[in-house]
Structure formats: C-alpha cells, structure tokens
Amino acid sequence: MKSLCYALVLLFLPIAQAQHDHAHEPTVAKVELPAAKDQVEWTLFSQLDLKSKVAATELSSRLKKPLTLSGFAIPLDFDKKEVDQFLFVPFVPTCMHVPPPAENQIIFVKSKTKLKVADLMYPLQVSGDVELDLKQKNDAYFNMKAKSIKVAR
C-alpha cells in the first residue's frame, strides 16, 4: 500500500508542479471579439512616465478621443447584480503572489449602462474617451466614460 502511494505521488508530482508553475502567471485579456478600428494596446498607457507624470506624444494624441481596449474589470460600485464603476486592467492578479498592474495600466471606468456582475469573470472590450487625471481623483491616472462594453464569452 505504501509503495502504491509513493508511485502515485511520483506519477502526479510533475503534473502538479507544472500547474503550480503557471498558477502565478497573470491571465492576459485575449478577447475573441473582432478588433475595433480604434483598438489600442495596453502598452500605449505605459507611455505615461510615473516619476515625471509626463505623457509621451503618442499617448497625448490619443487622449480625449474614442478608443477601444480589451481587459478585465475589478468592480468598485455595485449592487448584488449590476456594476457601473470599475477599474479596468490588462490582467487579473489571480494570486496574492502576482503583483497588481502598474499605476499607468489602470483605468477608472464609469458607464451609463450597468454591467451584470456575472459578466465580470470574462474579458471585456470597452470603448470610450480616456482622459488623463494626474490628481488621481478616482484612484487611477486614467478615466474613461464608457460608450460601449462588450463581453467576450
């Protein structure tokens, strides 16, 4: 019996280690929706220098203009079934060992239409105008008024 237990441990140990090794990697948004014509990547927002608080030319030129971004929502203001304010991030920190996104990778989103809480486990494609808020009134350097939110299931 003891030999059988050791054999099972030796058999399943490599599988468990492989799963554990990948458990701490962030889940990046891979939305299966068609890319919008104004789709941007999260690297655009990393062009805000966090020390000097200066945005690069490419980022500055895209602010206050419609753009679409794929990512995940972390709800802020919600009742039991719907949410209309959330932090939008490129990945979900799935474990306490995964650090949160950088400050220039977090967008505060306010939506006129409410999103079902059940939809928050899926990647989202959010469209709207993004503004830079260096005073971080909403705990984020970027604010977006969402015009459209699509859920990728």
Side-chain angles (χ1 to χ4, degrees), residues 42-151:
W42 282 96
T43 53
L44 176 70
F45 297 97
S46 64
Q47 294 178 13
L48 173 65
D49 185 279
L50 293 173
K51 289 182 182 177
S52 66
K53 308 291 190 263
V54 175
T57 307
E58 183 183 0
L59 174 59
S60 296
S61 68
R62 292 304 313 255
L63 295 174
K64 297 184 182 179
K65 294 180 182 172
L67 57 85
T68 301
L69 198 59
S70 299
F72 294 92
I74 300 173
L76 294 175
D77 184 28
F78 65 97
D79 60 23
K80 292 181 181 176
K81 296 182 183 180
E82 298 177 315
V83 61
D84 64 351
Q85 294 182 27
F86 55 89
L87 294 178
F88 198 49
V89 295
F91 63 88
V92 178
T94 55
C95 178
M96 67 182 201
H97 302 293
V98 176
E103 290 179 273
N104 58 5
Q105 297 288 294
I106 301 171
I107 301 173
F108 172 80
V109 177
K110 175 79 173 152
S111 176
K112 289 183 181 179
T113 58
K114 293 194 175 201
L115 185 65
K116 293 179 182 176
V117 171
D119 290 337
L120 297 180
M121 67 176 70
Y122 300 102
L124 303 176
Q125 189 178 56
V126 180
S127 299
D129 297 342
V130 175
E131 294 181 356
L132 182 60
D133 177 14
L134 293 176
K135 294 182 181 178
Q136 293 184 298
K137 290 181 227 163
N138 295 311
D139 296 324
Y141 281 115
F142 299 102
N143 295 322
M144 176 189 267
K145 292 180 183 171
K147 295 179 182 171
S148 166
I149 300 176
K150 295 178 183 174
V151 180

